[in-house]
Amino acid sequence: IDNMLNITGLHYGIKNRIVQQAGGNPFFIEEVVRSFIDEGAVLVKNGNFEVTNKIEKMVIPSTINDVLMARIDRLEDETRNLVKVASVIGRNFFHKILTEVSKETGDIDNRLSYLKEIQLIRERRRMDELEYLFKHALAQEAAYASILHQKRKELHLQVARSIEKVFKERLHEFYGMLALHYIKGEDDEKAAYFIN
């Protein structure tokens, strides 16, 4: 906690409120500090954290879900929508699938770079593909829960169709994923096909 909150100029009262609300959860503290950085209340200078006058206006959310949703809500509209689509794909999401489902979103690679920079997602290679993953499952869950049920259903169907299109040459590797998305998209016939 001391390492994470070693921020020049951070008042004891604010530090104490963060610690109390965190209830021993270091992830909560990490996300609160990141939200302070996102808002410009804390700046990183020469590898050190420094408080700005915006700190006085910062509200510390009461739950980790609230902290994560506040960070997601602060994103620019298209980037926020991209995060929501990614959350429907799952905690891990292939670049090819995300770009196929989010065709109307411009500048996807720069948006993904920004999401890596603010440490919401990470990048790796898996199955010879570029894949991203939410840094924490709770971030994916918070974004997913913020989508209306009908929209989630539509997105699951779009994801399933995209998987079928993008990976048609090796579809057998994705049967489990396809079954899951068709189940959540409430297409029982297609779900049954990929389960069997």
Side-chain angles (χ1 to χ4, degrees), residues 78-79 82 93-100 102-103 105-117 121 123 130-132:
E78 283 195 64
T79 305
L82 192 67
F93 51 97
F94 288 114
H95 182 270
K96 285 181 180 177
I97 300 302
L98 183 65
T99 54
E100 179 66 28
S102 303
K103 283 181 195 169
T105 304
D107 218 6
I108 289 178
D109 289 337
N110 283 336
R111 293 178 196 289
L112 290 169
S113 290
Y114 175 71
L115 293 170
K116 283 191 313 184
E117 185 182 309
I121 64 171
E123 179 183 312
L130 177 59
E131 182 183 54
Y132 294 91

Side-chain angles (χ1 to χ4, degrees), residues 34-47:
R34 289 197 197 295
S35 74
F36 286 0
I37 294 168
D38 291 349
E39 283 291 314
V42 171
L43 299 176
V44 182
K45 287 186 179 175
N46 301 324

Side-chain angles (χ1 to χ4, degrees), residues 2-10 33 37 41-52:
D2 285 340
N3 286 341
M4 293 174 90
L5 294 177
N6 187 13
I7 301 170
T8 305
L10 187 63
V33 171
I37 294 168
V42 171
L43 299 176
V44 182
K45 287 186 179 175
N46 301 324
N48 297 315
F49 295 116
E50 290 181 17
V51 169
T52 70

Side-chain angles (χ1 to χ4, degrees), residues 54-134:
K54 290 183 179 180
I55 197 76
E56 301 303 325
K57 295 179 185 149
M58 293 301 296
V59 174
I60 301 165
S62 53
T63 69
I64 187 64
N65 189 62
D66 292 343
V67 174
L68 291 165
M69 274 317 302
R71 289 194 70 207
I72 291 167
D73 286 343
R74 275 193 294 275
L75 295 170
E76 176 273 327
D77 286 348
E78 283 195 64
T79 305
R80 183 174 53 250
N81 289 335
L82 192 67
V83 167
K84 289 181 179 185
V85 170
S87 77
V88 171
I89 298 169
R91 170 131 191 237
N92 306 348
F93 51 97
F94 288 114
H95 182 270
K96 285 181 180 177
I97 300 302
L98 183 65
T99 54
E100 179 66 28
V101 177
S102 303
K103 283 181 195 169
E104 288 93 44
T105 304
D107 218 6
I108 289 178
D109 289 337
N110 283 336
R111 293 178 196 289
L112 290 169
S113 290
Y114 175 71
L115 293 170
K116 283 191 313 184
E117 185 182 309
I118 65 168
Q119 297 190 25
L120 202 59
I121 64 171
R122 293 182 183 158
E123 179 183 312
R124 69 179 182 187
R125 292 207 68 83
R126 187 170 72 95
M127 297 170 69
D128 294 325
E129 297 289 339
L130 177 59
E131 182 183 54
Y132 294 91
L133 62 150
F134 283 90

Side-chain angles (χ1 to χ4, degrees), residues 103-188:
K103 283 181 195 169
E104 288 93 44
T105 304
D107 218 6
I108 289 178
D109 289 337
N110 283 336
R111 293 178 196 289
L112 290 169
S113 290
Y114 175 71
L115 293 170
K116 283 191 313 184
E117 185 182 309
I118 65 168
Q119 297 190 25
L120 202 59
I121 64 171
R122 293 182 183 158
E123 179 183 312
R124 69 179 182 187
R125 292 207 68 83
R126 187 170 72 95
M127 297 170 69
D128 294 325
E129 297 289 339
L130 177 59
E131 182 183 54
Y132 294 91
L133 62 150
F134 283 90
K135 187 175 175 196
H136 294 283
L138 292 173
Q140 183 256 335
E141 290 168 12
Y144 185 82
S146 72
I147 307 168
L148 296 174
H149 176 74
Q150 186 59 37
K151 181 66 177 170
R152 265 198 310 240
K153 204 167 95 171
E154 291 166 15
L155 285 170
H156 278 293
L157 291 174
Q158 285 179 8
V159 169
R161 290 182 196 117
S162 294
I163 292 168
E164 287 189 272
K165 179 181 175 183
V166 171
F167 294 118
K168 64 182 173 217
E169 303 300 323
R170 48 195 265 217
L171 207 55
H172 63 281
E173 296 175 40
F174 295 90
Y175 275 21
M177 196 182 292
L178 284 163
L180 174 75
H181 286 295
Y182 278 123
I183 287 167
K184 292 191 173 198
E186 297 178 14
D187 185 334
D188 297 335

